[in-house]
Amino acid sequence: MFWMRKIGIWMLLGLVMCSGLHAERKKVGLVLSGGGAKGVAHIGVLKVLEEAGIPIDYIAGTSMGSIVGGLYAIGYDARCLDSLVRVQNWPFLLSNRVYRYDLPFSEKEKDEKYLLSIPMLRSKLIQMPAGFISGQNIYNLFSELTLGYHDSLSFMNLPIPFSCVAANLVNGEEVILNSGNLPLSMRASMAIPGVFSPVVLDSMMLVDGGIANNYPVDVMREMGADIIIGVDVSAGLRTMNELHSVLDIVDQLTNFLGMEKYEENVRLTNLYIKPDIEPYSAASFDPVAIDTLILRGERAARAKWDEIVRLKEQLGLPDENGGNEKVKNPFISADSLVIGRIRIEGVSAAEKKWVRKKIGIQEYSVISMKELYQAIAALYGTGAFELVNYHLNGQGVHELTLMLEEKEMSSLNLGFRFDSEEMAAILVNTTIARKNLRGFQLSVTGRLSMNPYVKLDCSLGNTFLRKTGLSYMYKYNDIDLYHRGRKADNITFSYHMGGLNFSDIYVRNLKVELGVRYEYFDFNSFLYAQPGEREKVKPEGFLSYYGLMHYETYDQKYYPEKGMSLRGEYALYTSDGLRYDGGVPFSALAGNLSTVVPVSRRFAVLPSLYGRVLIGRRIPYAYLNNMGGMVSGRYFAQQLPFVGIHRLEMFENAVLVGRMKFRYRLGKKNYLTAVVNYAKQKNNFFDILSSGDDLWGGGISYSYNTLVGPVDLWLDLSNWDRKLGVYFNFGYYF
């Protein structure tokens, strides 16, 4: 018994000694402050910490610090983060824009037309948005980058335990987010008040954590860290002359609100790193700023190299580097997904069917990551949803959950433009809708100008592939007509149009429309500037049947860099539904093909071919071909543009135009353009190439793409009137 007791004592002593030799090292926590774009400096610091072999056991961050920290916690190393921030389209991410390719045709027709759009709810006449930016694009990026970590989970179970900070607008309290949906938590932590819409979670309305705790060292202490490395990219208090933007003001408020806690957290930091971030702001996401800030972060960390080495010794780590081994994230390079069930939240059962057709993803199928991103963009691009969030839950086979926030609002839209032809024009539109996704919609549009109009559009039964539409338009016209540059006539008339679209098909880049319409031309006067043959015009109504197809993939409306457009329309005109004036109906066939051929990053060639052919013996005056000006359909629906013809000129039954545009981009938003166009006209289309009249013209322009529409200055000339013309425009075309 004595010997057994002795052996037991020796074994116990051995265990104690071994435990002392292999005592668990102290835990290192990394704290990353908020600071908007300045937060990319965190990446430079991470590079140095990785080089030194400093292990990171916990991460806590606020705002931009939560983004960098959250991604680092799931396996992105500093090199990968460096590449990520450099390749992003930050102006797009920090906006409500949708890539034009992802817009349905109905939204493309509204694109870049209105300067201001104000939402209106049934309960309130006008409601201003909670933030200028919905955050859809940045959330899509977070969801993409955090693939595999969408499950509702504890962030303490991530490869590196993680917490981030937000603020609850309801009670002003700090909220520590350490479980739930990772991309949503990151989005909440960086929701700058007034800039980004808040994130509603349970009973909380969450915004940027910087207003509560911008440098969360105390949060890190609660997580269990023994040693804290802090990276602080917050700015000091600014002077009055330094407060230039909304983000500057938010930064200033952040510093005021959390100053007491901030100073205490700085004192609690074991290794404090503060990169030089002047003169950059929270919005400095341009390539030069990103490159500089990452370098500044790296320099600030290297300036602390001796302290980093001592910390490493304190941790008992070997001298050689490589102690910071990152857990590899298997989802970073994933290019396909296995989709199981698809769940849709936020819409009715009938609308779920519409959504399933719209996304084009089948349950229990394999899809590419690109297909998933396109499906989300297509849903958001419909304009029917405030937000389109998604979760991918499960391993191997993923359950896809779409969380949709439907817009139940109408809108008031305002547009303005000025040009040297019509002077000022104002466009006012209001859309009244029960829902934007399905059901009844009424749109009223008015144009105040030299040739004003009002138009009512009503749609019923809006579904994925069709909607029935009713429309009415009244327009007053006071038009000067020219012949080879000399004023020939002036005509005034009232125009009434009623239409029924019994098939109206919109599929992303394709629109197909079939319908019937009644048009009435009430000619008030016809004044002749010179003697000659008089046109026989009288008030007259026409019932027509039409079909049109339009396919368009331009990436921009006014200055496209890629894409093409193909449009064709045919209309059969009658006076009683079957005949015209007791005889055979007449018809019109029009087409337009244009594309962009990029030659280099700045230079592009834009060829186009368009024309219109009238078929019939007796064509009413109202439908005769006319051409001139820069804008298609300004005075008459059939008006064809032609550079070099400054005013409206009448032409024969068949007109064919070829155009070549050469465009060079100066800087980001300035353009120089040269255009040559050539036309043939003849009464008989089949004789147009052999014996038709020749018409040529061209021009040069300078353009500037502003936030409120293009600015264009044109100089042009043609063989039709042989006079140098000048045209100026400011604002979107409508």
Side-chain angles (χ1 to χ4, degrees):
M1 289 294 292
F2 173 77
W3 287 105
M4 292 181 64
R5 188 180 300 171
K6 199 170 182 179
I7 291 171
I9 292 172
W10 280 106
M11 289 179 65
L12 181 61
L13 288 171
L15 288 172
V16 171
M17 291 178 66
C18 287
S19 64
L21 290 172
H22 300 283
E24 185 177 2
R25 65 167 176 79
K26 293 182 177 180
K27 298 296 184 181
V28 179
L30 177 65
V31 176
L32 305 176
S33 81
K38 297 173 292 183
V40 301
H42 295 319
I43 299 171
V45 175
L46 287 170
K47 286 183 178 182
V48 177
L49 295 179
E50 287 181 358
E51 180 184 334
I54 301 296
I56 305 299
D57 300 296
Y58 304 100
I59 299 177
T62 298
S63 195
M64 192 65 175
S66 74
I67 299 169
V68 175
L71 295 177
Y72 199 77
I74 62 174
Y76 290 86
D77 59 20
R79 179 186 59 81
C80 196
L81 291 173
D82 183 295
S83 300
L84 277 175
V85 298
R86 294 179 190 273
V87 301
Q88 300 307 319
N89 183 353
W90 289 104
F92 173 78
L93 292 173
L94 303 175
S95 75
N96 292 324
R97 289 171 48 207
V98 179
Y99 286 120
R100 189 172 173 81
Y101 180 84
D102 294 315
L103 289 174
F105 221 102
S106 55
E107 292 300 312
K108 284 185 180 181
E109 293 175 324
K110 303 175 188 175
D111 186 36
E112 297 184 28
K113 183 182 290 185
Y114 300 107
L115 297 178
L116 181 65
S117 184
I118 304 172
M120 299 189 301
L121 301 180
R122 293 191 299 272
S123 58
K124 300 178 182 179
L125 180 60
I126 294 177
Q127 174 157 326
M128 300 303 296
F132 290 109
I133 304 171
S134 68
Q136 177 68 53
N137 294 330
I138 197 75
Y139 179 82
N140 287 347
L141 177 66
F142 294 165
S143 295
E144 173 188 345
L145 298 177
T146 58
L147 184 65
Y149 298 93
H150 291 184
D151 287 305
S152 294
L153 46 78
S154 170
F155 299 164
M156 300 302 288
N157 295 327
L158 296 176
I160 301 177
F162 171 70
S163 295
C164 61
V165 178
N168 185 5
L169 276 183
V170 177
N171 54 22
E173 294 181 353
E174 174 184 348
V175 178
I176 300 170
L177 300 170
N178 52 23
S179 64
N181 182 265
L182 181 58
L184 194 64
S185 298
M186 293 161 59
R187 163 70 178 86
S189 183
M190 51 78 60
I192 301 172
V195 179
F196 286 93
S197 297
V199 172
V200 178
L201 186 64
D202 299 326
S203 59
M204 300 180 294
M205 183 175 285
L206 302 179
V207 296
D208 195 306
I211 66 175
N213 192 354
N214 197 48
Y215 183 60
V217 172
D218 54 330
V219 174
M220 178 55 66
R221 289 289 185 194
E222 291 294 322
M223 292 177 70
D226 302 301
I227 297 173
I228 295 177
I229 302 173
V231 187
D232 181 11
V233 295
S234 61
L237 294 178
R238 300 172 184 265
T239 66
M240 183 174 66
N241 294 330
E242 294 175 322
L243 297 172
H244 303 299
S245 67
V246 173
L247 291 178
D248 291 338
I249 294 171
V250 172
D251 259 355
Q252 190 84 332
L253 289 173
T254 298
N255 293 331
F256 278 133
L257 293 172
M259 184 58 68
E260 185 176 345
K261 177 176 285 191
Y262 168 78
E263 292 175 348
E264 176 61 24
N265 281 339
V266 170
R267 286 193 291 270
L268 293 173
T269 308
N270 301 102
L271 176 58
Y272 181 71
I273 301 174
K274 189 171 179 60
D276 176 15
I277 46 86
E278 295 297 332
Y280 299 106
S281 71
S284 300
F285 283 103
D286 60 278
V288 174
I290 289 174
D291 184 69
T292 303
L293 287 165
I294 292 175
L295 184 60
R296 296 261 186 99
E298 188 174 348
R299 287 176 178 173
R302 292 197 183 281
K304 299 279 186 174
W305 185 260
D306 291 342
E307 294 180 51
I308 294 173
V309 172
R310 286 196 295 271
L311 172 60
K312 192 173 181 179
E313 294 172 351
Q314 185 181 350
L315 295 172
L317 298 174
D319 292 337
E320 63 270 14
N321 297 334
N324 187 355
E325 293 292 331
K326 290 289 294 171
V327 176
K328 299 297 182 183
N329 185 336
F331 300 98
I332 291 178
S333 58
D335 57 3
S336 63
L337 296 168
V338 180
I339 300 297
R341 290 187 58 205
I342 298 176
R343 297 176 61 244
I344 301 170
E345 300 176 355
V347 295
S348 67
E351 291 163 344
K352 287 180 182 179
K353 295 180 180 179
W354 184 93
V355 172
R356 289 180 182 275
K357 291 179 180 178
K358 189 66 177 175
I359 62 176
I361 299 175
Q362 302 297 319
E363 291 187 334
Y364 301 99
S365 64
V366 179
I367 65 170
S368 67
M369 296 298 299
K370 183 179 180 181
E371 288 175 313
L372 175 61
Y373 307 149
Q374 286 179 341
I376 300 302
L379 280 179
Y380 185 62
T382 62
F385 304 102
E386 194 73 43
L387 290 171
V388 180
N389 295 336
Y390 72 93
H391 293 169
L392 285 167
N393 300 328
Q395 302 293 325
V397 178
H398 300 279
E399 180 183 80
L400 173 62
T401 302
L402 298 174
M403 297 161 293
L404 310 176
E405 184 179 332
E406 193 173 346
K407 288 182 181 177
E408 296 195 21
M409 62 176 64
S410 303
S411 61
L412 175 65
N413 310 297
L414 302 173
F416 173 83
R417 69 185 301 269
F418 175 89
D419 70 12
S420 55
E421 192 171 316
E422 279 196 311
M423 306 307 287
I426 298 173
L427 191 68
V428 181
N429 168 271
T430 182
T431 300
I432 302 169
R434 185 180 67 86
K435 287 187 175 183
N436 282 353
L437 186 57
R438 297 171 60 88
F440 172 83
Q441 290 188 9
L442 176 64
S443 178
V444 182
T445 305
R447 185 178 188 268
L448 305 176
S449 65
M450 293 176 61
N451 295 277
Y453 70 75
V454 61
K455 187 178 182 186
L456 285 76
D457 293 287
C458 176
S459 65
L460 305 168
N462 187 11
T463 65
F464 173 60
L465 287 178
R466 68 183 58 86
K467 68 180 177 183
T468 301
L470 297 169
S471 61
Y472 169 77
M473 181 178 186
Y474 169 80
K475 184 178 183 181
Y476 178 81
N477 297 271
D478 186 349
I479 302 172
D480 292 329
L481 303 175
Y482 289 75
H483 178 68
R484 292 187 176 272
R486 300 179 64 181
K487 185 176 179 180
D489 310 310
N490 174 268
I491 184 172
T492 61
F493 65 95
S494 298
Y495 170 77
H496 301 264
M497 187 278 294
L500 169 65
N501 303 324
F502 53 86
S503 182
D504 194 356
I505 304 172
Y506 292 92
V507 182
R508 190 172 290 184
N509 298 312
L510 176 65
K511 170 185 176 181
V512 178
E513 182 176 313
L514 303 172
V516 58
R517 61 191 170 208
Y518 180 78
E519 297 173 282
Y520 183 76
F521 298 85
D522 185 9
F523 293 99
N524 302 315
S525 65
F526 204 109
L527 304 177
Y528 302 92
Q530 57 188 7
E533 184 179 351
R534 303 293 199 260
E535 294 284 349
K536 296 180 180 180
V537 291
K538 60 180 181 179
E540 196 168 6
F542 304 89
L543 183 66
S544 63
Y545 311 94
Y546 73 94
L548 68 88
M549 183 279 295
H550 192 180
Y551 178 77
E552 195 248 273
T553 61
Y554 285 138
D555 61 337
Q556 300 179 56
K557 184 173 182 178
Y558 294 103
Y559 306 103
E561 296 182 357
K562 59 182 179 181
M564 57 92 66
S565 175
L566 175 63
R567 179 184 173 94
E569 181 174 4
Y570 175 80
L572 181 69
Y573 295 91
T574 73
S575 53
D576 59 6
L578 296 174
R579 300 170 298 175
Y580 171 63
D581 200 19
V584 178
F586 66 96
S587 59
L589 177 65
N592 187 325
L593 172 63
S594 57
T595 188
V596 180
V597 182
V599 179
S600 68
R601 289 179 57 249
R602 295 183 177 275
F603 182 65
V605 179
L606 296 88
S608 59
L609 180 67
Y610 56 94
R612 185 170 183 263
V613 179
L614 297 168
I615 306 167
R617 293 185 177 181
R618 295 174 297 177
I619 307 298
Y621 186 85
Y623 294 105
L624 292 177
N625 285 326
N626 53 76
M627 189 160 57
M630 297 292 177
V631 183
S632 174
R634 163 166 277 181
Y635 300 111
F636 290 105
Q638 70 267 25
Q639 179 183 346
L640 302 175
F642 193 89
V643 177
I645 297 180
H646 315 132
R647 300 291 185 176
L648 195 65
E649 302 242 7
M650 308 301 293
F651 287 87
E652 298 188 21
N653 288 349
V655 179
L656 186 63
V657 184
R659 173 182 290 186
M660 192 71 73
K661 184 184 291 187
F662 305 90
R663 188 186 68 206
Y664 186 81
R665 177 169 57 83
L666 300 169
K668 292 183 178 180
K669 297 183 177 181
N670 297 273
Y671 299 88
L672 292 178
T673 306
V675 176
V676 292
N677 43 202
Y678 174 75
K680 299 280 285 188
Q681 67 156 347
K682 193 72 176 179
N683 270 334
N684 188 340
F685 175 75
F686 296 102
D687 298 329
I688 192 172
L689 295 179
S690 60
S691 60
D693 296 331
D694 295 303
L695 173 64
W696 59 262
I700 56 174
S701 75
Y702 164 77
S703 302
Y704 180 60
N705 190 16
T706 74
L707 292 174
V708 293
V711 176
D712 302 305
L713 178 62
W714 281 91
L715 297 176
D716 57 17
L717 182 69
S718 75
N719 68 333
W720 204 245
D721 58 15
R722 303 183 185 277
K723 294 180 181 179
L724 183 66
V726 179
Y727 176 77
F728 175 78
N729 169 79
F730 172 61
Y732 297 127
Y733 288 89
F734 53 78

